Amino acid sequence: MKKKVKKQKRIVNIVLFISTLLAFLLELLFDVPLPGKVMILIVYGVTLIASVILDRCPYCHKYIGARNSRRCQNCGREFR
């Protein structure tokens, strides 16, 4: 199950990269400079949505949140 958790984290990181790239491309395509705050909102908004959808415990399927531990804070099972 540890592989599944790592895969979920990798997907969230890919979404972060793609949303950052998309924010810069939007600025270039529309030829209107987006304020930095708007770009940050776009990137973090997309990443937040992806993390809420994908950061789930492989056992109880509840939101994991910060992955500072090796156990699910909801069901207590260890990620191997």
Side-chain angles (χ1 to χ4, degrees):
M1 286 297 169
K2 188 175 183 179
K3 288 182 182 181
K4 185 174 182 180
V5 173
K6 283 185 177 182
K7 183 178 179 182
Q8 290 170 341
K9 187 175 183 180
R10 189 176 315 125
I11 291 171
V12 170
N13 287 337
I14 290 169
V15 168
L16 174 64
F17 175 75
I18 290 173
S19 62
T20 304
L21 185 64
L22 182 66
F24 285 115
L25 287 175
L26 283 174
E27 184 176 348
L28 291 174
L29 290 175
F30 290 122
D31 200 31
V32 176
L34 293 174
K37 290 180 182 179
V38 173
M39 289 182 66
I40 290 171
L41 285 175
I42 291 170
V43 170
Y44 285 122
V46 170
T47 305
L48 177 69
I49 291 169
S51 116
V52 168
I53 292 171
L54 296 173
D55 286 349
R56 301 286 174 172
C57 172
Y59 302 107
C60 68
H61 303 290
K62 291 186 180 179
Y63 180 67
I64 294 174
R67 292 195 190 122
N68 295 334
S69 70
R70 293 182 177 199
R71 295 183 173 269
C72 175
Q73 63 243 22
N74 299 303
C75 68
R77 292 188 69 179
E78 185 176 348
F79 305 128
R80 297 186 215 164

Short mmCIF file of all heavy atoms in Angstrom, two decimals, residues 43-79:
data_model
loop_
_atom_site.label_atom_id
_atom_site.label_comp_id
_atom_site.label_asym_id
_atom_site.label_seq_id
_atom_site.Cartn_x
_atom_site.Cartn_y
_atom_site.Cartn_z
N VAL A 43 -2.70 28.19 -9.36
CA VAL A 43 -1.84 27.03 -9.09
C VAL A 43 -2.27 26.32 -7.80
O VAL A 43 -2.46 25.11 -7.78
CB VAL A 43 -0.36 27.46 -9.01
CG1 VAL A 43 0.51 26.33 -8.51
CG2 VAL A 43 0.12 27.93 -10.37
N TYR A 44 -2.42 27.07 -6.73
CA TYR A 44 -2.77 26.44 -5.47
C TYR A 44 -4.19 25.92 -5.45
O TYR A 44 -4.48 24.92 -4.80
CB TYR A 44 -2.52 27.38 -4.30
CG TYR A 44 -1.06 27.51 -3.97
CD1 TYR A 44 -0.42 28.73 -3.98
CD2 TYR A 44 -0.30 26.38 -3.68
CE1 TYR A 44 0.92 28.83 -3.71
CE2 TYR A 44 1.05 26.47 -3.41
CZ TYR A 44 1.65 27.71 -3.42
OH TYR A 44 2.99 27.81 -3.14
N GLY A 45 -5.08 26.58 -6.15
CA GLY A 45 -6.46 26.10 -6.23
C GLY A 45 -6.54 24.74 -6.90
O GLY A 45 -7.18 23.81 -6.40
N VAL A 46 -5.88 24.61 -8.04
CA VAL A 46 -5.88 23.33 -8.76
C VAL A 46 -5.19 22.26 -7.92
O VAL A 46 -5.66 21.12 -7.82
CB VAL A 46 -5.20 23.49 -10.14
CG1 VAL A 46 -4.99 22.15 -10.79
CG2 VAL A 46 -6.04 24.39 -11.03
N THR A 47 -4.08 22.60 -7.30
CA THR A 47 -3.35 21.63 -6.48
C THR A 47 -4.16 21.22 -5.26
O THR A 47 -4.18 20.04 -4.88
CB THR A 47 -2.00 22.21 -6.05
OG1 THR A 47 -1.29 22.63 -7.22
CG2 THR A 47 -1.18 21.19 -5.31
N LEU A 48 -4.84 22.15 -4.64
CA LEU A 48 -5.67 21.83 -3.48
C LEU A 48 -6.79 20.87 -3.85
O LEU A 48 -7.05 19.89 -3.15
CB LEU A 48 -6.25 23.11 -2.87
CG LEU A 48 -7.20 22.91 -1.70
CD1 LEU A 48 -6.42 22.40 -0.50
CD2 LEU A 48 -7.90 24.20 -1.36
N ILE A 49 -7.45 21.14 -4.97
CA ILE A 49 -8.52 20.25 -5.42
C ILE A 49 -7.98 18.85 -5.70
O ILE A 49 -8.56 17.84 -5.28
CB ILE A 49 -9.22 20.84 -6.66
CG1 ILE A 49 -10.00 22.10 -6.27
CG2 ILE A 49 -10.14 19.82 -7.31
CD1 ILE A 49 -10.49 22.90 -7.44
N ALA A 50 -6.84 18.77 -6.38
CA ALA A 50 -6.23 17.46 -6.67
C ALA A 50 -5.83 16.75 -5.39
O ALA A 50 -6.02 15.54 -5.25
CB ALA A 50 -5.02 17.63 -7.58
N SER A 51 -5.30 17.48 -4.42
CA SER A 51 -4.86 16.84 -3.20
C SER A 51 -6.04 16.34 -2.37
O SER A 51 -5.97 15.26 -1.79
CB SER A 51 -3.97 17.79 -2.41
OG SER A 51 -4.48 18.16 -1.21
N VAL A 52 -7.14 17.08 -2.35
CA VAL A 52 -8.32 16.62 -1.62
C VAL A 52 -8.92 15.38 -2.27
O VAL A 52 -9.37 14.47 -1.59
CB VAL A 52 -9.36 17.76 -1.51
CG1 VAL A 52 -10.69 17.25 -1.02
CG2 VAL A 52 -8.86 18.86 -0.60
N ILE A 53 -8.87 15.32 -3.58
CA ILE A 53 -9.42 14.17 -4.29
C ILE A 53 -8.51 12.95 -4.17
O ILE A 53 -8.97 11.83 -3.95
CB ILE A 53 -9.66 14.52 -5.77
CG1 ILE A 53 -10.78 15.54 -5.88
CG2 ILE A 53 -9.99 13.28 -6.58
CD1 ILE A 53 -10.95 16.11 -7.27
N LEU A 54 -7.20 13.14 -4.28
CA LEU A 54 -6.27 12.02 -4.39
C LEU A 54 -5.61 11.58 -3.09
O LEU A 54 -5.19 10.43 -2.99
CB LEU A 54 -5.17 12.36 -5.41
CG LEU A 54 -5.66 12.56 -6.83
CD1 LEU A 54 -4.52 13.05 -7.69
CD2 LEU A 54 -6.24 11.28 -7.39
N ASP A 55 -5.49 12.45 -2.12
CA ASP A 55 -4.79 12.10 -0.88
C ASP A 55 -5.73 11.32 0.04
O ASP A 55 -6.28 11.85 1.01
CB ASP A 55 -4.27 13.33 -0.16
CG ASP A 55 -3.07 13.93 -0.82
OD1 ASP A 55 -2.51 13.27 -1.70
OD2 ASP A 55 -2.69 15.05 -0.46
N ARG A 56 -5.89 10.05 -0.26
CA ARG A 56 -6.78 9.18 0.50
C ARG A 56 -6.00 8.00 1.07
O ARG A 56 -5.06 7.51 0.46
CB ARG A 56 -7.90 8.65 -0.39
CG ARG A 56 -8.76 9.72 -1.02
CD ARG A 56 -9.65 10.32 -0.02
NE ARG A 56 -10.38 11.45 -0.58
CZ ARG A 56 -11.35 12.04 0.07
NH1 ARG A 56 -11.72 11.61 1.25
NH2 ARG A 56 -11.95 13.07 -0.46
N CYS A 57 -6.42 7.54 2.23
CA CYS A 57 -5.84 6.34 2.82
C CYS A 57 -6.24 5.14 1.96
O CYS A 57 -7.40 5.01 1.58
CB CYS A 57 -6.36 6.16 4.24
SG CYS A 57 -5.90 4.60 5.01
N PRO A 58 -5.29 4.27 1.64
CA PRO A 58 -5.63 3.11 0.81
C PRO A 58 -6.51 2.09 1.53
O PRO A 58 -7.07 1.22 0.91
CB PRO A 58 -4.27 2.51 0.45
CG PRO A 58 -3.30 3.10 1.38
CD PRO A 58 -3.86 4.37 1.89
N TYR A 59 -6.65 2.22 2.85
CA TYR A 59 -7.45 1.28 3.63
C TYR A 59 -8.85 1.81 3.91
O TYR A 59 -9.84 1.16 3.58
CB TYR A 59 -6.75 0.94 4.94
CG TYR A 59 -5.38 0.35 4.73
CD1 TYR A 59 -4.24 1.09 5.00
CD2 TYR A 59 -5.23 -0.94 4.25
CE1 TYR A 59 -2.97 0.55 4.82
CE2 TYR A 59 -3.97 -1.49 4.05
CZ TYR A 59 -2.85 -0.73 4.34
OH TYR A 59 -1.60 -1.26 4.13
N CYS A 60 -8.95 3.00 4.52
CA CYS A 60 -10.27 3.52 4.91
C CYS A 60 -10.80 4.55 3.93
O CYS A 60 -11.94 4.97 4.03
CB CYS A 60 -10.21 4.13 6.31
SG CYS A 60 -9.21 5.63 6.46
N HIS A 61 -9.97 4.98 2.98
CA HIS A 61 -10.34 5.93 1.93
C HIS A 61 -10.74 7.30 2.45
O HIS A 61 -11.46 8.03 1.78
CB HIS A 61 -11.43 5.36 1.02
CG HIS A 61 -11.05 4.06 0.41
ND1 HIS A 61 -10.08 3.94 -0.56
CD2 HIS A 61 -11.47 2.79 0.66
CE1 HIS A 61 -9.94 2.68 -0.90
NE2 HIS A 61 -10.77 1.95 -0.16
N LYS A 62 -10.28 7.66 3.64
CA LYS A 62 -10.52 8.99 4.17
C LYS A 62 -9.34 9.88 3.83
O LYS A 62 -8.24 9.41 3.56
CB LYS A 62 -10.75 8.95 5.67
CG LYS A 62 -12.05 8.27 6.03
CD LYS A 62 -12.31 8.37 7.50
CE LYS A 62 -13.64 7.69 7.81
NZ LYS A 62 -13.92 7.76 9.24
N TYR A 63 -9.55 11.18 3.88
CA TYR A 63 -8.51 12.15 3.55
C TYR A 63 -7.34 12.02 4.50
O TYR A 63 -7.51 11.99 5.72
CB TYR A 63 -9.10 13.57 3.60
CG TYR A 63 -8.11 14.65 3.28
CD1 TYR A 63 -7.58 14.77 2.01
CD2 TYR A 63 -7.72 15.56 4.25
CE1 TYR A 63 -6.67 15.77 1.71
CE2 TYR A 63 -6.82 16.57 3.96
CZ TYR A 63 -6.30 16.66 2.69
OH TYR A 63 -5.40 17.65 2.40
N ILE A 64 -6.12 11.92 3.96
CA ILE A 64 -4.92 11.76 4.76
C ILE A 64 -4.41 13.10 5.27
O ILE A 64 -4.01 13.24 6.41
CB ILE A 64 -3.80 11.06 3.96
CG1 ILE A 64 -4.21 9.64 3.63
CG2 ILE A 64 -2.50 11.05 4.75
CD1 ILE A 64 -3.22 8.93 2.73
N GLY A 65 -4.40 14.10 4.41
CA GLY A 65 -3.85 15.39 4.80
C GLY A 65 -2.34 15.37 4.74
O GLY A 65 -1.75 14.78 3.84
N ALA A 66 -1.69 15.99 5.70
CA ALA A 66 -0.23 16.03 5.73
C ALA A 66 0.30 14.63 6.00
O ALA A 66 -0.15 13.94 6.90
CB ALA A 66 0.24 16.98 6.82
N ARG A 67 1.28 14.23 5.19
CA ARG A 67 1.81 12.88 5.32
C ARG A 67 3.10 12.87 6.12
O ARG A 67 4.12 12.40 5.67
CB ARG A 67 2.06 12.30 3.94
CG ARG A 67 0.82 12.05 3.20
CD ARG A 67 1.13 11.16 2.02
NE ARG A 67 -0.03 11.10 1.19
CZ ARG A 67 -0.05 11.44 -0.07
NH1 ARG A 67 1.03 11.84 -0.66
NH2 ARG A 67 -1.16 11.37 -0.76
N ASN A 68 3.04 13.40 7.31
CA ASN A 68 4.25 13.43 8.14
C ASN A 68 4.45 12.13 8.89
O ASN A 68 5.50 11.89 9.44
CB ASN A 68 4.18 14.60 9.12
CG ASN A 68 4.19 15.93 8.40
OD1 ASN A 68 4.71 16.02 7.31
ND2 ASN A 68 3.62 16.93 9.01
N SER A 69 3.44 11.30 8.96
CA SER A 69 3.57 10.05 9.69
C SER A 69 3.45 8.87 8.73
O SER A 69 3.11 9.03 7.56
CB SER A 69 2.49 9.96 10.76
OG SER A 69 1.24 9.79 10.17
N ARG A 70 3.74 7.71 9.24
CA ARG A 70 3.62 6.51 8.43
C ARG A 70 2.31 5.79 8.69
O ARG A 70 2.13 4.67 8.26
CB ARG A 70 4.79 5.57 8.75
CG ARG A 70 6.10 6.14 8.29
CD ARG A 70 7.20 5.17 8.57
NE ARG A 70 8.44 5.73 8.07
CZ ARG A 70 9.50 5.00 7.84
NH1 ARG A 70 9.48 3.71 8.06
NH2 ARG A 70 10.59 5.56 7.39
N ARG A 71 1.42 6.42 9.42
CA ARG A 71 0.13 5.83 9.74
C ARG A 71 -0.99 6.78 9.35
O ARG A 71 -0.83 7.98 9.35
CB ARG A 71 0.02 5.55 11.24
CG ARG A 71 0.98 4.52 11.74
CD ARG A 71 0.73 4.26 13.21
NE ARG A 71 1.54 3.15 13.66
CZ ARG A 71 1.13 1.89 13.64
NH1 ARG A 71 -0.06 1.60 13.19
NH2 ARG A 71 1.93 0.93 14.07
N CYS A 72 -2.13 6.19 9.07
CA CYS A 72 -3.33 6.99 8.80
C CYS A 72 -3.85 7.53 10.12
O CYS A 72 -3.97 6.78 11.10
CB CYS A 72 -4.39 6.11 8.12
SG CYS A 72 -5.98 6.95 7.88
N GLN A 73 -4.15 8.82 10.18
CA GLN A 73 -4.65 9.39 11.41
C GLN A 73 -6.10 9.00 11.68
O GLN A 73 -6.61 9.18 12.78
CB GLN A 73 -4.50 10.91 11.43
CG GLN A 73 -5.28 11.62 10.39
CD GLN A 73 -4.42 12.38 9.41
OE1 GLN A 73 -3.25 12.07 9.25
NE2 GLN A 73 -4.96 13.35 8.77
N ASN A 74 -6.78 8.44 10.67
CA ASN A 74 -8.18 8.05 10.85
C ASN A 74 -8.32 6.59 11.31
O ASN A 74 -8.99 6.32 12.31
CB ASN A 74 -8.95 8.24 9.55
CG ASN A 74 -8.95 9.69 9.13
OD1 ASN A 74 -9.36 10.56 9.87
ND2 ASN A 74 -8.45 9.96 7.93
N CYS A 75 -7.71 5.67 10.59
CA CYS A 75 -7.86 4.24 10.93
C CYS A 75 -6.65 3.68 11.67
O CYS A 75 -6.74 2.59 12.23
CB CYS A 75 -8.15 3.42 9.68
SG CYS A 75 -6.78 3.31 8.51
N GLY A 76 -5.52 4.38 11.66
CA GLY A 76 -4.34 3.94 12.39
C GLY A 76 -3.49 2.89 11.70
O GLY A 76 -2.50 2.45 12.24
N ARG A 77 -3.88 2.48 10.50
CA ARG A 77 -3.09 1.46 9.80
C ARG A 77 -1.83 2.08 9.22
O ARG A 77 -1.79 3.23 8.83
CB ARG A 77 -3.93 0.83 8.70
CG ARG A 77 -5.06 0.02 9.33
CD ARG A 77 -5.81 -0.79 8.37
NE ARG A 77 -4.99 -1.88 7.85
CZ ARG A 77 -5.46 -2.76 7.00
NH1 ARG A 77 -6.71 -2.69 6.59
NH2 ARG A 77 -4.69 -3.72 6.54
N GLU A 78 -0.79 1.26 9.19
CA GLU A 78 0.53 1.72 8.73
C GLU A 78 0.62 1.59 7.23
O GLU A 78 0.17 0.62 6.64
CB GLU A 78 1.62 0.89 9.39
CG GLU A 78 3.01 1.37 9.07
CD GLU A 78 4.07 0.58 9.80
OE1 GLU A 78 3.74 -0.17 10.73
OE2 GLU A 78 5.24 0.73 9.42
N PHE A 79 1.25 2.61 6.60
CA PHE A 79 1.52 2.57 5.18
C PHE A 79 2.83 1.82 5.01
O PHE A 79 3.86 2.26 5.47
CB PHE A 79 1.66 3.97 4.59
CG PHE A 79 0.47 4.86 4.85
CD1 PHE A 79 0.65 6.10 5.41
CD2 PHE A 79 -0.80 4.43 4.54
CE1 PHE A 79 -0.43 6.93 5.64
CE2 PHE A 79 -1.88 5.25 4.77
CZ PHE A 79 -1.70 6.50 5.33
#
